[in-house]
């Protein structure tokens, strides 16, 4: 239960920070943010702010979202709907109620025609009347949705499609940018807490009993400097060569107490749970040497670590094109929850670093030019800038729908794969 709670908190913080980026830059651009939701699913609580944004708390504690007026929105009110209207003294509509909770001072009507962006009118049939009436709608009017959530109407000047390409790009890129900022800040905090950094210098800290290394006489404190004809400079070099030498016998050169020893080691061959491929295993654990961080090291630690996470993600994506796509290299909520369970065991500091790494990871993945992701929206913005006019909302809606379907299929496949790995 503790691990699940930590996972939900981490994921929610990352997503809310991401969505706040969209919210902030949308407000700066003059776009009406209709809703800022924490959580998903049925509404538990809502309150409308002075700026017209309705802040909601929803039942499922999984992230959140913002609704920008005009961005992939379906029209809330359609011809044929039964709604309730409220008016001001100038006979302008100031509230349109689409929920089942009718107010005493509402006029019950059936919608014939409505335009709440340019014309700002609603044409309706009152009960038992054969002719319709047309009413002007105030630009500050409110709409009560089916679940009781109150949102503002969005005149054309407050809609996403009316702002400049520059402001659209800033609004869309702000979410991933906030993820990178969160990653940098959290990693920097952990840098100040840790106070030391690892160097490339290392020794063998532990030799597992019964492992190939133990059988070959490798001891703690040894340093492996060569495998066959390959020179080993760093621990990463050793890991790379070991993994690609599954089941092979390699001539190993070791430094022990300033003496050089040569021995043959037959590596184990084990299955990598992430890639499903056979990799070599030596059976040792590194003991890397640490040195105190300088003040500048601590200040730059967040940038360095965030950069390393991004490079790692890029290398995985490049591998999909060079080595082939591997579903095991992706992880959904199940895999994240599993990893969280392991991370929590190592304490608060490791949990913070995990959150920072996930934030940087999600920030970069959101920038991929895939419809429905922020990167896909930015690509459409760039196309608009080149064409000098936006893609029609109908075409953009179709592109986004295709992206959503593809992402849902991928999410289902990843989750199923996570479950299969969990139970097998």
């Amino acid at each position: 239960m503790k691990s699940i709670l930590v996972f939900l908190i981490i994921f929610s913080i990352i997503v809310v920070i991401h969505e706040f980026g969209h919210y902030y830059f949308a407000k700066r651009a003059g776009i009406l943010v209709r809703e800022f939701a924490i959580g998903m699913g049925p509404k538990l609580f809502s309150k409308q702010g002075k700026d017209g944004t309705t802040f909601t708390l929803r039942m499922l504690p999984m992230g959140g979202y913002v609704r920008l007026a005009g961005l992939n929105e379906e029209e809330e009110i359609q011809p044929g709907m039964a709604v309730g209207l409220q008016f001001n003294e100038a006979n302008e509509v100031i509230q349109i109620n689409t929920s089942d909770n009718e107010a005493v001072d509402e006029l019950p009507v059936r919608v014939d025609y409505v335009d709440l962006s340019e014309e700002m009118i609603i044409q309706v049939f009152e009960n038992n009347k054969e002719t319709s009436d047309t009413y002007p709608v105030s630009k500050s009017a409110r709409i009560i949705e089916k679940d009781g959530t109150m949102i503002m109407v969005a005149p054309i000047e407050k809609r996403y499609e009316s702002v400049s390409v520059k402001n659209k790009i800033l609004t869309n890129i702000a979410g991933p940018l906030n993820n990178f900022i969160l990653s940098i800040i959290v990693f920097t905090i952990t840098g100040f807490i840790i106070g030391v950094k690892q160097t490339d210098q290392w020794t063998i800290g532990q030799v597992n009993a019964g492992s190939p290394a133990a059988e070959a006489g490798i001891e703690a404190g040894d340093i492996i400097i060569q495998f066959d004809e390959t020179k080993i400079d760093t621990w990463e070099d050793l890991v790379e060569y070991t993994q690609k030498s599954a089941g092979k016998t390699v001539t190993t050169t070791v430094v022990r107490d300033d003496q050089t020893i040569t021995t043959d080691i037959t590596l184990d061959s084990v299955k990598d749970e992430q890639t499903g491929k056979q990799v070599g295993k030596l059976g040792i654990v590194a003991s890397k040497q640490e040195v105190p961080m300088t003040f500048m090291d601590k200040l730059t630690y967040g940038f360095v670590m965030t950069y390393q996470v991004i490079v790692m993600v890029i290398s995985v994506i490049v591998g999909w094109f060079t080595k082939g796509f591997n579903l095991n290299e992706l992880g959904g909520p199940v895999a994240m929850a599993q990893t969280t369970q392991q991370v929590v065991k190592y304490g608060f500091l490791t949990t913070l670093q995990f959150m920072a790494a996930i934030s940087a990871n999600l920030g970069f993945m959101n920038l991929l030019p895939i419809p429905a992701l922020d990167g896909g929206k930015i690509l459409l913005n760039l196309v608009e800038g080149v064409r000098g006019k936006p893609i029609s909302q109908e075409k953009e809606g179709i592109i986004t729908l295709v992206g959503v379907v593809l992402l849902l299929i991928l999410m289902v496949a990843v989750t199923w794969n996570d479950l299969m790995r969990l139970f097998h």
Side-chain angles (χ1 to χ4, degrees):
M1 182 59 69
K2 179 182 177 181
S3 299
I4 294 174
L5 180 61
V6 171
F7 165 69
L8 292 176
I9 291 173
I10 287 175
F11 190 70
S12 295
I13 290 174
I14 291 172
V15 174
V16 169
I17 293 294
H18 175 101
E19 297 300 335
F20 181 78
H22 294 314
Y23 167 82
Y24 178 77
F25 277 89
K27 298 296 295 182
R28 282 192 55 182
I31 302 170
L32 172 65
V33 181
R34 280 183 155 154
E35 181 184 2
F36 191 127
I38 299 177
M40 308 290 283
K43 182 192 68 175
L44 297 176
F45 170 81
S46 68
K47 182 175 179 59
Q48 194 171 61
K50 293 181 180 180
D51 61 354
T53 301
T54 300
F55 298 88
T56 60
L57 180 65
R58 296 188 174 269
M59 184 177 294
L60 301 177
M62 289 287 291
Y65 60 88
V66 293
R67 289 165 57 189
L68 307 184
L71 179 60
N72 302 323
E73 274 195 322
E74 294 183 1
E75 294 298 332
E76 304 87 359
I77 302 169
Q78 298 289 339
M81 287 181 61
V83 301
L85 304 181
Q86 287 188 2
F87 301 87
N88 60 16
E89 294 179 354
N91 208 34
E92 285 183 321
V93 175
I94 57 172
Q95 182 170 292
I96 306 173
N97 185 2
T98 68
S99 73
D100 296 329
N101 298 322
E102 298 181 5
V104 176
D105 56 348
E106 284 182 353
L107 174 67
V109 296
R110 179 169 54 84
V111 178
D112 182 46
Y113 172 80
V114 62
D115 184 342
L116 299 181
S117 60
E118 296 184 8
E119 296 180 71
M120 297 301 295
I121 60 171
I122 184 168
Q123 190 172 331
V124 298
F125 288 98
E126 296 181 29
N127 292 341
N128 302 320
K129 287 184 64 174
E130 295 182 358
T131 58
S132 63
D133 295 309
T134 300
Y135 297 103
V137 178
S138 169
K139 290 189 174 183
S140 59
R142 299 168 297 184
I143 299 172
I144 301 178
E145 299 184 301
K146 286 292 184 182
D147 65 354
T149 302
M150 185 175 292
I151 63 173
M152 302 293 295
V153 296
I156 188 64
E157 65 269 15
K158 293 185 178 181
R159 296 173 70 89
Y160 174 84
E161 61 263 33
S162 297
V163 302
S164 66
V165 171
K166 174 186 174 182
N167 281 327
K168 288 178 182 177
I169 292 176
L170 288 174
T171 299
N172 289 323
I173 205 172
L177 180 62
N178 263 18
N179 284 137
F180 295 141
I181 293 173
L182 175 63
S183 176
I184 291 168
I185 291 174
V186 175
F187 269 133
T188 300
I189 291 172
T190 63
F192 274 90
I193 296 173
I194 295 169
V196 295
K197 63 179 180 179
Q198 293 183 339
T199 68
D200 288 337
Q201 297 178 344
W202 61 276
T203 60
I204 296 174
Q206 177 184 326
V207 180
N208 298 332
S211 67
E215 293 177 359
I218 301 297
E219 299 176 1
D222 290 350
I223 302 174
I224 297 175
I225 61 171
Q226 190 166 317
F227 264 172
D228 290 332
E229 302 300 322
T230 302
K231 186 178 179 182
I232 304 297
D233 293 319
T234 66
W235 174 255
E236 288 71 23
D237 291 341
L238 177 63
V239 171
E240 180 183 357
Y241 194 89
T242 300
Q243 288 184 342
K244 67 182 183 182
S245 303
K248 295 181 180 179
T249 299
V250 295
T251 300
T252 307
T253 304
V254 176
V255 173
R256 179 185 301 164
D257 298 329
D258 296 327
Q259 294 184 346
T260 301
I261 302 171
T262 300
T263 183
D264 289 336
I265 302 178
T266 301
L267 302 176
D268 284 341
S269 179
V270 298
K271 184 178 181 180
D272 188 316
E273 293 183 359
Q274 286 191 329
T275 64
K277 298 178 179 179
Q278 294 297 120
V279 296
K281 184 177 180 181
L282 189 55
I284 62 175
V285 178
S287 176
K288 287 197 173 185
Q289 296 185 15
E290 296 178 339
V291 296
M293 285 187 184
T294 65
F295 183 73
M296 186 56 65
D297 287 335
K298 295 174 183 177
L299 283 180
T300 58
Y301 185 75
F303 293 92
V304 171
M305 293 301 295
T306 299
Y307 172 77
Q308 289 181 2
V309 172
I310 294 172
V311 169
M312 180 187 68
V313 176
I314 292 174
S315 67
V316 171
I317 295 174
V318 171
W320 294 345
F321 295 95
T322 58
K323 302 175 183 177
F325 180 75
N326 191 335
L327 203 58
N328 289 321
E329 293 179 333
L330 294 174
V334 175
M336 285 182 63
Q338 279 185 281
T339 306
T340 304
Q341 185 177 12
Q342 299 300 318
V343 167
V344 168
K345 295 178 181 178
Y346 292 98
F348 179 69
L349 184 61
T350 305
T351 304
L352 277 181
Q353 291 181 314
F354 175 67
M355 180 175 75
I358 293 297
S359 183
N361 191 316
L362 290 179
F364 184 83
M365 294 299 288
N366 257 290
L367 285 176
L368 295 179
I370 299 173
L373 295 183
D374 293 323
K377 296 172 186 174
I378 293 170
L379 179 60
L380 292 177
N381 298 151
L382 294 174
V383 170
E384 177 184 342
V386 172
R387 295 176 72 233
K389 61 179 181 179
I391 297 173
S392 68
Q393 289 193 13
E394 293 78 10
K395 291 181 180 178
E396 185 172 342
I398 293 172
I399 293 172
T400 301
L401 180 61
V402 170
V404 169
V405 171
L406 291 176
L407 289 174
L408 285 175
I409 293 173
L410 180 61
M411 181 58 68
V412 170
V414 168
T415 303
W416 177 259
N417 190 56
D418 288 344
L419 291 172
M420 291 300 98
R421 287 191 293 179
L422 177 63
F423 293 110
H424 294 85

